[in-house]
Each structure stands twice: as structure tokens, then as C-alpha cells.
Amino acid sequence: MDRISALRNVEEALAAFEAGECSLSDLETDVRSVLRTYAADFEGEMRAYRASGDGPADGLVVLAASAPEARERVADLVDDSVTFSVSAVD
């Protein structure tokens, strides 16, 4: 997905929300999906991984080619004392 397609898809999701055709949670899901698809296509063979654990790591999503690489990316973004695990996001 290119940038223009991603922006168009986000605009369509916002329009549906404004028209009352979807809930805020539906809008969030749609926009999150667009962003993940764009980012994954932009980064090539990578996929999204979500961290779960202490403080700032909890819920953090990174793109990586593997779970060990995702763990490294999350570790680079948070304090060394944070405990977390990563799992692939579908």
C-alpha cells in the first residue's frame, strides 16, 4: 500500500465515523489496520509485534523480521529495567 492509498483509506474510515456508520472502536481498528499494512509494506518482509509487560513496553508495537529482532527493537525503545515479551500481531 502506498502513502496515497493509506491516506485515502484513513479518510474513508473518518468519513464513515463522521456519518455515524461506525463506532469509535471500529474507527480505531480500521485506522490501526491501515497503518500496520502501510508500515509492513513500507518495511518489506517485516511484520508487527506487540510487546506486553512493564510500563512503557506494554502495548508497544514494532516492525521486525522475527521475534528476536522485535525484542531488540523494543529494548532499544525502553529502559533496560523493563521486563517484557513480544508476540506477533495478526
Side-chain angles (χ1 to χ4, degrees):
M1 174 183 302
D2 64 20
R3 181 184 297 182
I4 299 300
S5 294
L7 292 171
R8 196 172 298 126
N9 289 339
V10 169
E11 174 62 28
E12 288 173 6
L14 289 170
F17 176 73
E18 291 168 352
E21 297 171 1
C22 69
S23 68
L24 178 58
S25 62
D26 292 335
L27 172 64
E28 290 172 334
T29 299
D30 291 347
V31 171
R32 187 178 304 120
S33 175
V34 169
L35 294 176
R36 285 195 181 133
T37 301
Y38 170 77
D41 288 351
F42 182 75
E43 292 290 334
E45 296 299 317
M46 297 188 178
R47 65 183 298 182
Y49 289 85
R50 181 187 314 278
S52 56
D54 295 342
D58 196 47
L60 189 62
V61 177
V62 297
L63 292 178
S66 66
E69 183 180 319
R71 184 160 177 68
E72 288 176 25
R73 286 180 179 232
V74 172
D76 289 344
L77 297 171
V78 298
D79 185 26
D80 290 336
S81 64
V82 174
T83 303
F84 64 90
S85 62
V86 296
S87 58
V89 176
D90 293 323

